PDB file of all heavy atoms in Angstrom:
ATOM      1  N   ALA B   3      15.430  24.993  34.027  1.00  0.00           N
ATOM      2  CA  ALA B   3      14.125  25.503  33.625  1.00  0.00           C
ATOM      3  C   ALA B   3      13.374  26.135  34.788  1.00  0.00           C
ATOM      4  O   ALA B   3      12.341  26.762  34.588  1.00  0.00           O
ATOM      5  CB  ALA B   3      13.287  24.385  33.036  1.00  0.00           C
ATOM      6  N   ALA B  30      -3.484  32.203  27.472  1.00  0.00           N
ATOM      7  CA  ALA B  30      -4.757  31.959  26.782  1.00  0.00           C
ATOM      8  C   ALA B  30      -4.533  31.307  25.421  1.00  0.00           C
ATOM      9  O   ALA B  30      -5.208  30.329  25.072  1.00  0.00           O
ATOM     10  CB  ALA B  30      -5.514  33.271  26.616  1.00  0.00           C
ATOM     11  N   TYR B  36      -5.109  30.664  19.365  1.00  0.00           N
ATOM     12  CA  TYR B  36      -5.288  32.084  19.064  1.00  0.00           C
ATOM     13  C   TYR B  36      -6.726  32.430  18.701  1.00  0.00           C
ATOM     14  O   TYR B  36      -7.309  33.362  19.247  1.00  0.00           O
ATOM     15  CB  TYR B  36      -4.357  32.480  17.916  1.00  0.00           C
ATOM     16  CG  TYR B  36      -4.518  33.889  17.408  1.00  0.00           C
ATOM     17  CD1 TYR B  36      -3.929  34.946  18.079  1.00  0.00           C
ATOM     18  CD2 TYR B  36      -5.257  34.156  16.256  1.00  0.00           C
ATOM     19  CE1 TYR B  36      -4.075  36.248  17.610  1.00  0.00           C
ATOM     20  CE2 TYR B  36      -5.402  35.454  15.782  1.00  0.00           C
ATOM     21  CZ  TYR B  36      -4.812  36.494  16.461  1.00  0.00           C
ATOM     22  OH  TYR B  36      -4.955  37.774  16.005  1.00  0.00           O
ATOM     23  N   HIS B  37      -7.306  31.669  17.793  1.00  0.00           N
ATOM     24  CA  HIS B  37      -8.625  32.032  17.273  1.00  0.00           C
ATOM     25  C   HIS B  37      -9.733  31.814  18.290  1.00  0.00           C
ATOM     26  O   HIS B  37     -10.772  32.468  18.220  1.00  0.00           O
ATOM     27  CB  HIS B  37      -8.930  31.247  15.999  1.00  0.00           C
ATOM     28  CG  HIS B  37      -8.114  31.676  14.833  1.00  0.00           C
ATOM     29  ND1 HIS B  37      -8.255  32.906  14.227  1.00  0.00           N
ATOM     30  CD2 HIS B  37      -7.110  31.066  14.165  1.00  0.00           C
ATOM     31  CE1 HIS B  37      -7.399  33.022  13.231  1.00  0.00           C
ATOM     32  NE2 HIS B  37      -6.683  31.926  13.171  1.00  0.00           N
ATOM     33  N   ILE B  44      -8.243  37.781  27.373  1.00  0.00           N
ATOM     34  CA  ILE B  44      -6.879  38.234  27.655  1.00  0.00           C
ATOM     35  C   ILE B  44      -6.895  39.352  28.693  1.00  0.00           C
ATOM     36  O   ILE B  44      -6.195  39.297  29.704  1.00  0.00           O
ATOM     37  CB  ILE B  44      -6.185  38.737  26.368  1.00  0.00           C
ATOM     38  CG1 ILE B  44      -6.048  37.599  25.353  1.00  0.00           C
ATOM     39  CG2 ILE B  44      -4.816  39.325  26.688  1.00  0.00           C
ATOM     40  CD1 ILE B  44      -5.613  38.062  23.971  1.00  0.00           C
ATOM     41  N   GLY B  49      -6.496  41.241  34.526  1.00  0.00           N
ATOM     42  CA  GLY B  49      -7.183  42.077  35.518  1.00  0.00           C
ATOM     43  C   GLY B  49      -7.494  43.473  35.007  1.00  0.00           C
ATOM     44  O   GLY B  49      -7.461  44.447  35.755  1.00  0.00           O
ATOM     45  N   ALA B  82      21.919  28.718  18.282  1.00  0.00           N
ATOM     46  CA  ALA B  82      23.149  29.303  17.747  1.00  0.00           C
ATOM     47  C   ALA B  82      24.263  29.255  18.790  1.00  0.00           C
ATOM     48  O   ALA B  82      25.432  29.000  18.456  1.00  0.00           O
ATOM     49  CB  ALA B  82      22.896  30.740  17.303  1.00  0.00           C
ATOM     50  N   ALA B  87      29.544  26.989  19.960  1.00  0.00           N
ATOM     51  CA  ALA B  87      30.406  26.735  21.112  1.00  0.00           C
ATOM     52  C   ALA B  87      31.635  25.920  20.697  1.00  0.00           C
ATOM     53  O   ALA B  87      31.714  25.409  19.577  1.00  0.00           O
ATOM     54  CB  ALA B  87      29.622  26.005  22.192  1.00  0.00           C
ATOM     55  N   VAL B 131       8.864  35.895  10.692  1.00  0.00           N
ATOM     56  CA  VAL B 131       9.126  34.823  11.649  1.00  0.00           C
ATOM     57  C   VAL B 131       9.736  33.607  10.951  1.00  0.00           C
ATOM     58  O   VAL B 131      10.593  32.923  11.515  1.00  0.00           O
ATOM     59  CB  VAL B 131       7.822  34.449  12.388  1.00  0.00           C
ATOM     60  CG1 VAL B 131       7.979  33.141  13.140  1.00  0.00           C
ATOM     61  CG2 VAL B 131       7.422  35.564  13.341  1.00  0.00           C
ATOM     62  N   ARG B 135      13.020  31.112  11.779  1.00  0.00           N
ATOM     63  CA  ARG B 135      12.981  29.644  11.803  1.00  0.00           C
ATOM     64  C   ARG B 135      14.099  29.070  10.933  1.00  0.00           C
ATOM     65  O   ARG B 135      14.676  28.033  11.251  1.00  0.00           O
ATOM     66  CB  ARG B 135      11.625  29.127  11.350  1.00  0.00           C
ATOM     67  CG  ARG B 135      10.499  29.492  12.302  1.00  0.00           C
ATOM     68  CD  ARG B 135       9.162  28.957  11.832  1.00  0.00           C
ATOM     69  NE  ARG B 135       8.996  27.551  12.121  1.00  0.00           N
ATOM     70  CZ  ARG B 135       8.537  27.073  13.267  1.00  0.00           C
ATOM     71  NH1 ARG B 135       8.216  27.891  14.246  1.00  0.00           N
ATOM     72  NH2 ARG B 135       8.405  25.774  13.444  1.00  0.00           N
ATOM     73  N   ALA B 141      21.429  26.527  12.254  1.00  0.00           N
ATOM     74  CA  ALA B 141      22.309  26.235  13.392  1.00  0.00           C
ATOM     75  C   ALA B 141      22.481  24.724  13.566  1.00  0.00           C
ATOM     76  O   ALA B 141      23.600  24.230  13.737  1.00  0.00           O
ATOM     77  CB  ALA B 141      21.734  26.858  14.663  1.00  0.00           C
ATOM     78  N   LEU B 168      15.028  18.715  14.809  1.00  0.00           N
ATOM     79  CA  LEU B 168      14.204  19.847  15.227  1.00  0.00           C
ATOM     80  C   LEU B 168      12.774  19.410  15.495  1.00  0.00           C
ATOM     81  O   LEU B 168      12.136  19.847  16.463  1.00  0.00           O
ATOM     82  CB  LEU B 168      14.224  20.929  14.143  1.00  0.00           C
ATOM     83  CG  LEU B 168      15.455  21.809  14.148  1.00  0.00           C
ATOM     84  CD1 LEU B 168      15.492  22.690  12.906  1.00  0.00           C
ATOM     85  CD2 LEU B 168      15.476  22.692  15.399  1.00  0.00           C
ATOM     86  N   ASP B 173       8.103  19.007  18.987  1.00  0.00           N
ATOM     87  CA  ASP B 173       6.882  18.304  19.403  1.00  0.00           C
ATOM     88  C   ASP B 173       6.774  18.175  20.921  1.00  0.00           C
ATOM     89  O   ASP B 173       5.696  17.878  21.437  1.00  0.00           O
ATOM     90  CB  ASP B 173       6.812  16.926  18.735  1.00  0.00           C
ATOM     91  CG  ASP B 173       5.395  16.371  18.730  1.00  0.00           C
ATOM     92  OD1 ASP B 173       4.504  17.041  18.187  1.00  0.00           O
ATOM     93  OD2 ASP B 173       5.178  15.286  19.306  1.00  0.00           O
ATOM     94  N   GLY B 182       2.940  15.890  34.541  1.00  0.00           N
ATOM     95  CA  GLY B 182       3.562  14.618  34.181  1.00  0.00           C
ATOM     96  C   GLY B 182       4.729  14.266  35.097  1.00  0.00           C
ATOM     97  O   GLY B 182       5.132  15.052  35.947  1.00  0.00           O
ATOM     98  N   LEU B 196      18.941  10.262  22.653  1.00  0.00           N
ATOM     99  CA  LEU B 196      18.228   9.714  21.492  1.00  0.00           C
ATOM    100  C   LEU B 196      18.763  10.309  20.194  1.00  0.00           C
ATOM    101  O   LEU B 196      18.970   9.598  19.200  1.00  0.00           O
ATOM    102  CB  LEU B 196      16.728  10.012  21.604  1.00  0.00           C
ATOM    103  CG  LEU B 196      15.950   9.215  22.653  1.00  0.00           C
ATOM    104  CD1 LEU B 196      14.515   9.727  22.755  1.00  0.00           C
ATOM    105  CD2 LEU B 196      15.955   7.725  22.329  1.00  0.00           C
ATOM    106  N   PRO B 205      33.049   8.094  18.721  1.00  0.00           N
ATOM    107  CA  PRO B 205      34.240   8.915  18.977  1.00  0.00           C
ATOM    108  C   PRO B 205      34.875   9.404  17.674  1.00  0.00           C
ATOM    109  O   PRO B 205      34.852   8.702  16.662  1.00  0.00           O
ATOM    110  CB  PRO B 205      35.176   7.963  19.713  1.00  0.00           C
ATOM    111  CG  PRO B 205      34.292   6.927  20.311  1.00  0.00           C
ATOM    112  CD  PRO B 205      33.096   6.810  19.434  1.00  0.00           C
TER     113      PRO B 205
END
Side-chain angles (χ1 to χ4, degrees):
Chain B
Y36 175 81
H37 289 292
I44 297 169
V131 167
R135 294 180 79 86
L168 280 171
D173 200 58
L196 288 174

